[in-house]
Amino acid sequence: DPAIQQALMNWLRRSPEHVGAYLDIAAVWMESSNVTVDADMALPARIELARADLHVPELNLERLVPLPRAAPPRRSVRPRSLAAIAAVMIAMVGAWFHFLSGTYSTAIGEQRSIVLADGSTVELNARSRLRVRFSAAERTLELLQGQALFQVKKDPARPFVVHSDDTSIRAVGTQFDVYRKPGGTTVTVVEGRVAVQDRTEAVTTVTSFDTPSEGQVLLGAGERLTVTARLDTPTVRVDASTATAWTRRELIFDVTPLDEVVAEFNRYNTRLLVLDDTQLKSLKITAIFRSPDPAALVRYLQTQPNVRIESSERMIRIGRISDLH
């Protein structure tokens, strides 16, 4: 029924490994002599739905091993036939995984949990995009937009490297947050240690996560570094639970300029907040919002002197009383 089909789609969407498992069982199912394949449940159609839901526009199904089609009923399936099916499916799943593990994205207000091929996990925040490229020697990811929390499966033989603009973050087994903003990239370590370096420089091998190599900055648990044009900004201490508050749908600001607060809220809502007065950009906000709903911020701003709010269906304008009237 529709509820079960939606549950299946949700499960497929969680991980490329789930899609591979589905392909495995689908091939054997379609070769069975005891079932009739409904046209609505045909494998090519189901794969196409999964591809669309997984937001992988560059995936080219024609490059995969030809998809199995429903065959006339047979009396039995011989072990040799099953082995042939398995061989085809191994190639097919491998090709599918190669393309499917490319790019993940989220829309406004959407957050997504991703299980990678190595067992590492990624929490992808709203309006974010991540590209994954794994090889035998290195696990390489690129944060193209937005924010992600990485929980890295330990593997000393395969470094886990995240690129964000001109910044590279190298780890073996740890948990850290990367936020790519127009003005630079913020790296926050929750557990373990990472090495941060300028991506435009020659790649430096991490020989020890206790002693930095030339051009590297080592970060430990509870430390944050914001990388701008140059890797010379100071490391600061932060509360790890605050750094990951967004995974709990909380927004925490500590003396944060209003323009940054507005930009953060706009990641989660189609009804945009608009600053009409440039002088308000520097207004500092210190507050905890239990939800990214802009109504909470509006209520807070209405308590501030000389701030006026005007709302419409599409936007919420924030300005000073003297400017709006």
Side-chain angles (χ1 to χ4, degrees), residues 16 19 41 46 87 105 117 128-129 149 163 177 179 229 256 319:
V19 178
M41 296 294 289
R46 181 64 69 189
S105 62
S128 300
R129 193 153 57 97
L149 176 65
H163 300 303
D177 183 278
Y179 192 174
T256 306

PDB file of all heavy atoms in Angstrom, residues 16 19 41 46 87 105 117 128-129 149 163 177 179 229 256 319:
ATOM      1  N   PRO A  16      23.275   4.822   0.120  1.00  0.00           N
ATOM      2  CA  PRO A  16      23.515   4.045  -1.101  1.00  0.00           C
ATOM      3  C   PRO A  16      23.614   2.549  -0.839  1.00  0.00           C
ATOM      4  O   PRO A  16      23.282   1.737  -1.706  1.00  0.00           O
ATOM      5  CB  PRO A  16      24.854   4.611  -1.604  1.00  0.00           C
ATOM      6  CG  PRO A  16      24.922   5.981  -1.025  1.00  0.00           C
ATOM      7  CD  PRO A  16      24.246   5.888   0.314  1.00  0.00           C
ATOM      8  N   VAL A  19      20.298   1.003  -1.244  1.00  0.00           N
ATOM      9  CA  VAL A  19      19.932   0.811  -2.645  1.00  0.00           C
ATOM     10  C   VAL A  19      20.609  -0.443  -3.190  1.00  0.00           C
ATOM     11  O   VAL A  19      20.001  -1.235  -3.917  1.00  0.00           O
ATOM     12  CB  VAL A  19      20.320   2.048  -3.479  1.00  0.00           C
ATOM     13  CG1 VAL A  19      19.979   1.836  -4.949  1.00  0.00           C
ATOM     14  CG2 VAL A  19      19.608   3.281  -2.947  1.00  0.00           C
ATOM     15  N   MET A  41       5.862  -2.070  -9.605  1.00  0.00           N
ATOM     16  CA  MET A  41       6.988  -2.373  -8.732  1.00  0.00           C
ATOM     17  C   MET A  41       8.224  -2.759  -9.541  1.00  0.00           C
ATOM     18  O   MET A  41       9.172  -3.294  -9.010  1.00  0.00           O
ATOM     19  CB  MET A  41       6.620  -3.527  -7.790  1.00  0.00           C
ATOM     20  CG  MET A  41       5.489  -3.194  -6.833  1.00  0.00           C
ATOM     21  SD  MET A  41       5.964  -1.926  -5.661  1.00  0.00           S
ATOM     22  CE  MET A  41       7.099  -2.875  -4.661  1.00  0.00           C
ATOM     23  N   ARG A  46      11.545   1.708  -9.976  1.00  0.00           N
ATOM     24  CA  ARG A  46      11.879   1.926  -8.577  1.00  0.00           C
ATOM     25  C   ARG A  46      13.258   2.580  -8.441  1.00  0.00           C
ATOM     26  O   ARG A  46      13.460   3.485  -7.624  1.00  0.00           O
ATOM     27  CB  ARG A  46      11.845   0.587  -7.826  1.00  0.00           C
ATOM     28  CG  ARG A  46      12.151   0.685  -6.363  1.00  0.00           C
ATOM     29  CD  ARG A  46      11.122   1.485  -5.605  1.00  0.00           C
ATOM     30  NE  ARG A  46       9.855   0.761  -5.554  1.00  0.00           N
ATOM     31  CZ  ARG A  46       8.726   1.279  -5.114  1.00  0.00           C
ATOM     32  NH1 ARG A  46       8.707   2.530  -4.702  1.00  0.00           N
ATOM     33  NH2 ARG A  46       7.623   0.572  -5.090  1.00  0.00           N
ATOM     34  N   ALA A  87      26.725 -12.650  -9.750  1.00  0.00           N
ATOM     35  CA  ALA A  87      27.877 -12.025 -10.394  1.00  0.00           C
ATOM     36  C   ALA A  87      27.473 -10.732 -11.094  1.00  0.00           C
ATOM     37  O   ALA A  87      28.170  -9.707 -11.019  1.00  0.00           O
ATOM     38  CB  ALA A  87      28.498 -12.996 -11.393  1.00  0.00           C
ATOM     39  N   SER A 105      22.581  16.516  -1.212  1.00  0.00           N
ATOM     40  CA  SER A 105      22.176  17.897  -0.985  1.00  0.00           C
ATOM     41  C   SER A 105      20.915  17.940  -0.143  1.00  0.00           C
ATOM     42  O   SER A 105      20.185  16.948  -0.033  1.00  0.00           O
ATOM     43  CB  SER A 105      21.946  18.613  -2.323  1.00  0.00           C
ATOM     44  OG  SER A 105      20.896  17.985  -3.046  1.00  0.00           O
ATOM     45  N   ALA A 117      30.120   4.724   2.754  1.00  0.00           N
ATOM     46  CA  ALA A 117      30.517   3.345   2.459  1.00  0.00           C
ATOM     47  C   ALA A 117      31.442   2.762   3.513  1.00  0.00           C
ATOM     48  O   ALA A 117      31.460   1.549   3.729  1.00  0.00           O
ATOM     49  CB  ALA A 117      31.184   3.281   1.090  1.00  0.00           C
ATOM     50  N   SER A 128      22.564  22.630   2.117  1.00  0.00           N
ATOM     51  CA  SER A 128      23.953  22.184   2.064  1.00  0.00           C
ATOM     52  C   SER A 128      24.137  21.206   0.914  1.00  0.00           C
ATOM     53  O   SER A 128      23.182  20.565   0.463  1.00  0.00           O
ATOM     54  CB  SER A 128      24.364  21.524   3.393  1.00  0.00           C
ATOM     55  OG  SER A 128      24.241  22.432   4.471  1.00  0.00           O
ATOM     56  N   ARG A 129      25.387  21.079   0.474  1.00  0.00           N
ATOM     57  CA  ARG A 129      25.697  20.146  -0.607  1.00  0.00           C
ATOM     58  C   ARG A 129      27.073  19.552  -0.360  1.00  0.00           C
ATOM     59  O   ARG A 129      28.032  20.280  -0.077  1.00  0.00           O
ATOM     60  CB  ARG A 129      25.637  20.856  -1.960  1.00  0.00           C
ATOM     61  CG  ARG A 129      25.626  19.940  -3.166  1.00  0.00           C
ATOM     62  CD  ARG A 129      24.921  20.621  -4.340  1.00  0.00           C
ATOM     63  NE  ARG A 129      25.563  21.884  -4.660  1.00  0.00           N
ATOM     64  CZ  ARG A 129      26.470  22.032  -5.632  1.00  0.00           C
ATOM     65  NH1 ARG A 129      26.832  20.984  -6.361  1.00  0.00           N
ATOM     66  NH2 ARG A 129      27.005  23.210  -5.871  1.00  0.00           N
ATOM     67  N   LEU A 149      28.198  17.780   9.891  1.00  0.00           N
ATOM     68  CA  LEU A 149      28.856  17.192  11.058  1.00  0.00           C
ATOM     69  C   LEU A 149      29.323  15.793  10.665  1.00  0.00           C
ATOM     70  O   LEU A 149      28.515  14.945  10.266  1.00  0.00           O
ATOM     71  CB  LEU A 149      27.887  17.119  12.235  1.00  0.00           C
ATOM     72  CG  LEU A 149      28.405  16.439  13.505  1.00  0.00           C
ATOM     73  CD1 LEU A 149      29.551  17.238  14.123  1.00  0.00           C
ATOM     74  CD2 LEU A 149      27.279  16.260  14.525  1.00  0.00           C
ATOM     75  N   HIS A 163      37.334  18.930   2.094  1.00  0.00           N
ATOM     76  CA  HIS A 163      37.706  20.207   1.498  1.00  0.00           C
ATOM     77  C   HIS A 163      36.522  21.155   1.586  1.00  0.00           C
ATOM     78  O   HIS A 163      35.381  20.769   1.323  1.00  0.00           O
ATOM     79  CB  HIS A 163      38.100  20.034   0.031  1.00  0.00           C
ATOM     80  CG  HIS A 163      39.265  19.124  -0.191  1.00  0.00           C
ATOM     81  ND1 HIS A 163      40.492  19.333   0.403  1.00  0.00           N
ATOM     82  CD2 HIS A 163      39.390  17.995  -0.939  1.00  0.00           C
ATOM     83  CE1 HIS A 163      41.332  18.374   0.025  1.00  0.00           C
ATOM     84  NE2 HIS A 163      40.682  17.554  -0.778  1.00  0.00           N
ATOM     85  N   ASP A 177      32.739  19.406  12.990  1.00  0.00           N
ATOM     86  CA  ASP A 177      31.735  20.159  12.251  1.00  0.00           C
ATOM     87  C   ASP A 177      32.438  21.130  11.306  1.00  0.00           C
ATOM     88  O   ASP A 177      33.400  21.795  11.694  1.00  0.00           O
ATOM     89  CB  ASP A 177      30.838  20.918  13.239  1.00  0.00           C
ATOM     90  CG  ASP A 177      29.718  21.682  12.563  1.00  0.00           C
ATOM     91  OD1 ASP A 177      29.969  22.807  12.069  1.00  0.00           O
ATOM     92  OD2 ASP A 177      28.590  21.167  12.520  1.00  0.00           O
ATOM     93  N   TYR A 179      31.535  24.313   8.620  1.00  0.00           N
ATOM     94  CA  TYR A 179      30.519  25.256   8.164  1.00  0.00           C
ATOM     95  C   TYR A 179      31.163  26.178   7.137  1.00  0.00           C
ATOM     96  O   TYR A 179      32.036  26.977   7.463  1.00  0.00           O
ATOM     97  CB  TYR A 179      29.983  26.059   9.362  1.00  0.00           C
ATOM     98  CG  TYR A 179      28.728  26.875   9.079  1.00  0.00           C
ATOM     99  CD1 TYR A 179      28.082  27.545  10.113  1.00  0.00           C
ATOM    100  CD2 TYR A 179      28.192  26.994   7.799  1.00  0.00           C
ATOM    101  CE1 TYR A 179      26.928  28.293   9.881  1.00  0.00           C
ATOM    102  CE2 TYR A 179      27.050  27.731   7.549  1.00  0.00           C
ATOM    103  CZ  TYR A 179      26.431  28.394   8.597  1.00  0.00           C
ATOM    104  OH  TYR A 179      25.299  29.131   8.352  1.00  0.00           O
ATOM    105  N   ALA A 229      40.903  34.352   4.458  1.00  0.00           N
ATOM    106  CA  ALA A 229      41.837  34.387   3.336  1.00  0.00           C
ATOM    107  C   ALA A 229      43.171  33.737   3.682  1.00  0.00           C
ATOM    108  O   ALA A 229      43.835  33.156   2.829  1.00  0.00           O
ATOM    109  CB  ALA A 229      42.056  35.831   2.876  1.00  0.00           C
ATOM    110  N   THR A 256      26.376  37.565  18.490  1.00  0.00           N
ATOM    111  CA  THR A 256      26.428  37.373  17.043  1.00  0.00           C
ATOM    112  C   THR A 256      25.755  38.538  16.334  1.00  0.00           C
ATOM    113  O   THR A 256      24.649  38.936  16.706  1.00  0.00           O
ATOM    114  CB  THR A 256      25.716  36.064  16.652  1.00  0.00           C
ATOM    115  OG1 THR A 256      26.281  34.982  17.401  1.00  0.00           O
ATOM    116  CG2 THR A 256      25.861  35.789  15.166  1.00  0.00           C
ATOM    117  N   GLY A 319      13.570  46.578  10.384  1.00  0.00           N
ATOM    118  CA  GLY A 319      14.155  47.899  10.216  1.00  0.00           C
ATOM    119  C   GLY A 319      13.981  48.732  11.468  1.00  0.00           C
ATOM    120  O   GLY A 319      13.458  48.280  12.478  1.00  0.00           O
TER     121      GLY A 319
END
